[in-house]
Structure formats: C-alpha cells, structure tokens
C-alpha cells in the first residue's frame, strides 16, 4: 500500500489579505472567489491540493471580524469551528499593509490552538526587499510560529515552498477526497459564487456587502440565478442603465460557468430585492453560511 500524507489546514487572516487567492494558488486552480472588497468569503471553502504522496485539504475561511449581524455572526462561528481539529493553521498577512491590531487579534486565537502555525506574508510582489524584511520581522513577533514564508499568491512566488512545508506537517492518513475533486462546493454553490464575484467586481461601497446569489435552476444547458440585494436603490445599481450592469455580470460569469460545467450554457440572471436578508436566518441557512 502506498502511504499518503494527508490532513486539514485552516487558512486564517484579516479580510482582504489574499487568503482565497493563496488557497487557489496552493490548489492549482480556482476554488474560491476573490475580490478587492473585504469580506468576500462568507463560508468555509474546502480546497484540495493533491500531489505525489499527499493530499492537503485547506479550509479557506472568512476574514476575522467583529460580528454585527446574523450574517457576520455566522461567519465568525464558521471560523471558530473550522479552527478545531486541524493539523496546522496557515496565518496569512499582507506585506502591503501595516501588520497591526487586526492581525494580532487573529494571531492570539491561532497561536493558542496548540498546532503548528505557518505564516504566509503575502503580496510581496513588486515590493522592495528592505520593506519585505521589515514586514517579516513584524510578522515574526506575532507568536511562536513554525515557519514564515514571503509569498505572492498572485505571481506564485514562494507558493511551492509553502505547499511543501505544509505537506511536511501532515501525518500519514487516508485520502479524504477523490483525487479529481478540488473543492467541496456543489456546482450550484460554485456558480452562485462566480456570479457574486462578478457582481462584486462591478459594484462599490455598501453594495457588495448587500449582494447574495442563489441558483434557481441548473441543467446541462441552462443556468438561472437570482442576485439578491437589500434595497430598491441597490437593485437599480446592480441592474444598471438599461440592464447594462447585470448584463456585464453575465458576460463575465458565463465563460467560467461554462468551463466548470464543460459546455455551452444559457445564463439567465435576475435581480431581486430581499430586505434585510443578512438578518434572515432561513436565507443564510439556505446560502450555506
Ligand atoms: N499584489 C497582490 N495582490 C494580491 C495577492 N494576493 C491577493 N491579492 C489581491 O488582494 C485582494 C483580496 O484577495 P482575496 O483572496 O479575496 O482576499 P481574502 O483574504 O480571501 O479576503 P476575504 O475573503 O474578504 O477575507 C484581491 O484584489 C486580490 O487580487 C498578491 O500576492 N499580490
Ligand atoms: Mg476570501
């Protein structure tokens, strides 16, 4: 029998430091959506990296924050639960921002879990070596870490070494997922997330936080989904003049959905107002948050 190193690693860090981008890079393909808006990830997303003799299962998590409503409370709970029973934690920092109170808040929690903490200092692309060195020193003061890797999830710099290091921390174990599987999300959820990613790209300020997406119908050739917002004015923004914004969301999402499903699809997107959905526990449950 061929021995496998396998296990779970949680990926934690402040919003927007590049956790999802890094999980995608470590898995060698897109499992989690990414945006320049904080709090893009709302649920735990499992990304699976398979390689020679290993299966590294990464849990991409929402950025830590202070809960404000049932949505963010649930996100916080997800983070807490996901930090239990892992072999290691990958703590992600951004080299482009000041490493400060937000990072220390997260560090305090992960360093007391009693498992190795690997720090990734992300976004080092195009930064001066002196600045990277300074940030590495600050990051190193966060706690008793196993190792610290300067990386760029965007260019892939340092990602191979980081992956090897994480695999080194895994015990021998079974394959938890079939090797061809890269994520635990259903096709419906992956499609809803892709649509949400494009909606986030095309909106600003409070609108991205008010957007959620549900797939209503999925067949081999047809995808129907609804983009929910909380107010009429947000709906106008997401629909756009003469439907231009929602159309653009579709134009951007369709190729990725087709890639996922492996064929041409007709994509129908609707925009609907659902007041205060962020406080609607039943809807949050349905969204898997
Ligand atoms: N320059 C640079 N930008 C990066 C890098 N990694 C991620 N980004 C950008 O940082 C932004 C946030 O990336 P995400 O991966 O969504 O960050 P996240 O930590 O998952 O954020 P939340 O899910 O909101 O907690 C996006 O605009 C990414 O393109 C990197 O290595 N270099
Ligand atoms: Mg994310």
């Amino acid at each position: 029998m061929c021995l496998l190193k396998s296990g779970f690693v949680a990926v934690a860090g402040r919003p927007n430091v590049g956790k999802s981008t890094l999980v995608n890079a470590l898995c060698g393909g897109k499992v989690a959506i990414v945006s320049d808006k904080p709090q893009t990830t709302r649920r735990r997303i499992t990304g699976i990296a398979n390689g020679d003799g290993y299966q590294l299962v990464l849990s991409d998590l929402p950025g830590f924050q202070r809960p404000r409503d049932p949505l963010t409370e649930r996100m916080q709970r997800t983070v807490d639960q996901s930090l239990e029973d892992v072999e290691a934690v990958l703590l992600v920092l951004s080299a482009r921002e000041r490493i400060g109170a937000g990072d220390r808040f997260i560090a305090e929690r992960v360093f007391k879990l009693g498992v190795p903490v690997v720090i990734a200092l992300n976004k080092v692309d195009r930064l001066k070596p002196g600045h990277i060195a300074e940030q590495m020193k600050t990051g190193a003061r966060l706690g008793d870490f196993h190792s610290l890797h300067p990386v760029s999830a965007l260019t892939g710099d340092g990602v191979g070494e980081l992956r090897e290091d994480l695999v080194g921390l895994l015990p021998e174990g079974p394959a938890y997922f079939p090797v061809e599987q890269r994520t635990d999300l259903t096709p419906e959820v992956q499609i809803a997330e892709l649509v949400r990613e494009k909606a986030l790209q095309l909106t600003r300020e409070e609108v991205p936080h008010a957007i959620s997406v549900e797939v209503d119908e999925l067949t081999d050739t047809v995808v129907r989904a609804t983009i929910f917002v909380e107010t009429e004015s947000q709906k106008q923004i997401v629909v756009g003049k003469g439907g231009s914004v929602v159309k653009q969301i579709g134009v951007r999402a369709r190729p990725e959905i087709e890639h996922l499903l492996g064929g041409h699809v007709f994509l129908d997107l609707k925009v609907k107002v659902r007041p205060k959905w962020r406080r609607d526990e039943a809807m949050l449950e349905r969204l898997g948050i």
Side-chain angles (χ1 to χ4, degrees):
M1 205 185 83
C2 164
L3 289 176
L4 192 70
K5 280 166 91 66
S6 66
F8 290 74
V9 173
V11 183
R14 278 198 298 134
N16 223 32
V17 292
K19 297 178 294 300
S20 298
T21 313
L22 188 54
V23 166
N24 291 342
L26 286 165
C27 294
K30 184 165 177 170
V31 298
I33 64 164
V34 164
S35 92
D36 58 359
K37 317 289 189 299
Q39 290 166 34
T40 296
T41 305
R42 289 182 178 154
R43 54 186 288 156
R44 175 178 58 203
I45 296 172
T46 302
I48 304 142
N50 285 297
D52 216 8
Y54 72 84
Q55 180 171 81
L56 169 64
V57 186
L58 297 156
S59 297
D60 181 23
L61 299 175
F64 265 81
Q65 68 220 303
R66 280 177 188 72
R68 295 183 302 275
D69 51 30
L71 169 64
T72 40
E73 270 163 31
R74 278 170 175 260
M75 287 160 64
Q76 187 63 57
R77 232 178 295 150
T78 300
V79 173
D80 290 338
Q81 288 164 359
S82 306
L83 288 174
E84 290 166 15
D85 289 329
V86 289
E87 304 300 338
V89 175
L90 177 59
L91 174 62
V92 185
L93 309 173
S94 168
R96 278 191 154 63
E97 277 146 86
R98 219 176 70 82
I99 297 168
D103 302 286
R104 282 197 297 275
F105 173 70
I106 299 155
E108 270 168 31
R109 306 180 70 161
V110 302
F111 278 106
K112 55 178 196 220
L113 294 169
V115 296
V117 176
V118 173
I119 299 178
L121 179 68
N122 189 32
K123 309 198 187 186
V124 298
D125 44 286
R126 291 181 293 132
L127 289 186
K128 293 206 172 73
H131 180 65
I132 298 171
E134 275 304 313
Q135 293 285 64
M136 285 177 75
K137 262 196 239 161
T138 314
R141 284 197 290 267
L142 288 173
D144 188 10
F145 59 91
H146 169 80
S147 54
L148 195 162
H149 294 255
V151 300
S152 168
L154 212 56
T155 66
D157 252 2
V159 172
E161 292 87 337
L162 172 63
R163 194 191 293 109
E164 265 176 45
D165 197 16
L166 292 171
V167 168
L169 292 169
L170 302 178
E172 276 170 15
Y176 294 97
F177 297 91
V179 287
E180 66 281 0
Q181 195 175 337
R182 204 185 267 153
T183 175
D184 65 336
L185 299 184
T186 61
E188 282 87 349
V189 175
Q190 289 181 65
I191 290 167
E193 286 284 90
L194 286 172
V195 172
R196 190 163 66 86
E197 179 179 61
K198 309 312 172 197
L200 295 184
Q201 286 171 359
L202 292 162
T203 54
R204 292 179 296 131
E205 289 157 18
E206 93 293 353
V207 184
H209 298 291
I211 291 173
S212 64
V213 180
E214 271 185 276
V215 168
D216 308 307
E217 186 187 338
L218 171 61
T219 70
D220 288 348
T221 51
V222 178
V223 176
R224 292 186 207 283
T226 307
I227 302 170
F228 290 100
V229 287
E230 291 193 315
T231 65
E232 199 54 47
S233 67
Q234 289 163 354
K235 178 175 168 177
Q236 277 173 23
I237 291 167
V238 175
V239 170
K241 217 174 181 179
S244 58
V245 175
V246 67
K247 185 170 170 220
Q248 189 58 28
I249 293 171
V251 166
R252 293 188 187 191
R254 201 160 63 95
E256 290 190 45
I257 294 171
E258 292 183 335
H259 179 71
L260 181 76
L261 299 175
H264 290 292
V265 291
F266 170 72
L267 174 62
D268 175 41
L269 296 176
K270 284 191 184 58
V271 185
K272 282 191 193 163
V273 177
R274 164 97 34 110
K276 300 201 172 118
W277 66 259
R278 281 179 276 190
R279 301 186 169 278
D280 180 347
E281 299 277 357
M283 170 131 176
L284 294 172
E285 194 69 42
R286 222 176 34 248
L287 289 169
I289 294 170

